[in-house]
Amino acid sequence: MSLNYKLLTPGPLTTTSTVKEAMLVDHCTWDEDYKIITQHIRKHLLQLAKVPEEDYTTVLMQGSGSFCVESVLSSVIGDQDKVLICANGAYGSRMVQMAKRYNIPHVVYQLAENEVPQASRIRELLSEDPTINALAMVHSETTSGILNPLEEISEVVKENKLLFILDAMSSFGGISIPVAEYQIDFLVSSANKCIQGVPGFGFIICNRKALEASKGKARTVSLDLYEQFEAMDVDGKWRFTSPTHTVLAFEQALNELDEEGGINARYQRYKENNDTLREKMAEIGFQSFIGEEQGPFITSFYYPNHPKFEFTHFYEFLKANGYAIYPGKISDIDCFRIGNIGEIYVEDMIQVVELIKTYMEDL
Ligand SMILES: *Cc1c(COP(=O)(O)O)cnc(C)c1O
């Protein structure tokens, strides 16, 4: 069995050996050293988001990314509020599912998976229902790889003074996001995406005023965002058991992001990976599902027009040769996805396309 393959999947992803080595310690959770690490991480994330500590704070939350999205939705949208959810993929739909489950007042702006939300349509929806006071959107919809137009949507948010929730799971750390300028109140992301840590927790960059205003609105105990903040803010001690190994790995991953040159340098690497991948795939006849709005993190490709093509077989071939890719997630169209984030370089992109070329020639 070959365990030595790289992940071309956008989380978990391939991490550096130094990030993995940081986990070779069993750390206790109640002493000063550990609490200081938590506080450093919280500060470090604010620096990455370029927001001042007086106005923003970071809350770390156990679980995968969805737990953090669920924490925010179930904690900050009260029964008297109403959130407009933009849905152009599985992660947008998951937010809708959460809103339904908790009976959170909401309106859905449903789009196709290759369409981005339009500011003009959001303005219409807001004028049709003036009780809407919040907007939730995914930034990089990992379902397809599409990048939603954050700047345009933020204009509508500002005009209407909406509470703004952004699922920046597969984008934060890999692309610059002007959190304060775009008036994002709750930005959600996780340890195992563009920061290149391992799975186990996520984080929420919160506007302090909006967080304060949410006090008492939470519908669950474990995912109560305000209570998590209140406990953690005392001295960095997590409310319930913290994922210690993951936290140590994450601290290392944040330092490595700085060493790489920060978010802009990482963006350049991801962009070059993605451009190379799409260009080389096009050369061997593969078409990507998203056009102009393609983001720099993950790409959906249509299945090739070959009667013998079968995904599982294709997947096993690539994995045996060193790369794990992702099955498609587009509802009605046969696609597969290739992620290009993590400890992945242009050479990997060239290599995987070479393998795909060989596979197709031998099919
Ligand atoms: C990864 C991801 C999530 C969270 O998924 P989990 O499987 O819960 O970690 C949420 N939204 C987006 C856009 C993602 O890419």
Side-chain angles (χ1 to χ4, degrees), residues 103-216:
N103 284 321
I104 293 169
H106 68 284
V107 173
V108 183
Y109 174 14
Q110 185 64 54
L111 297 125
E113 283 147 324
N114 59 352
E115 282 175 350
V116 295
Q118 301 294 324
S120 54
R121 181 65 190 137
I122 295 178
R123 287 191 183 95
E124 275 172 26
L125 290 166
L126 292 171
S127 63
E128 282 164 23
D129 186 348
T131 64
I132 296 169
N133 64 353
L135 186 136
M137 184 176 85
V138 174
H139 185 204
S140 160
E141 213 354 309
T142 321
T143 310
S144 61
I146 206 167
L147 195 65
N148 287 330
L150 191 50
E151 186 174 0
E152 278 167 61
I153 307 295
S154 77
E155 291 301 322
V156 188
V157 163
K158 284 184 218 173
E159 286 160 24
N160 295 276
K161 299 193 171 55
L162 302 176
L163 188 82
F164 191 11
I165 299 168
L166 187 71
D167 170 348
M169 210 69 68
S170 64
S171 57
F172 185 79
I175 193 168
S176 157
I177 302 177
V179 177
E181 191 191 323
Y182 290 176
Q183 295 184 9
I184 300 164
D185 294 300
F186 298 96
L187 180 148
V188 189
S189 192
S190 92
N192 63 279
K193 298 227 165 147
C194 297
I195 310 274
Q196 298 186 185
V198 303
F201 75 95
F203 54 89
I204 302 112
I205 295 175
C206 310
N207 174 292
R208 284 183 184 271
K209 282 202 187 111
L211 181 62
E212 286 293 337
S214 76
K215 189 176 176 175

Side-chain angles (χ1 to χ4, degrees), residues 15-23 196-198 249-250 252-253 256:
T15 57
T16 60
S17 47
T18 35
V19 161
K20 287 186 272 285
E21 279 157 18
M23 293 187 286
Q196 298 186 185
V198 303
F250 191 67
Q252 177 64 25
E256 291 181 12

Side-chain angles (χ1 to χ4, degrees), residues 56 80 134 184 206 220 327 331 348:
Y56 291 84
Q80 309 307 318
I184 300 164
C206 310
T220 73
S331 327
D348 296 300

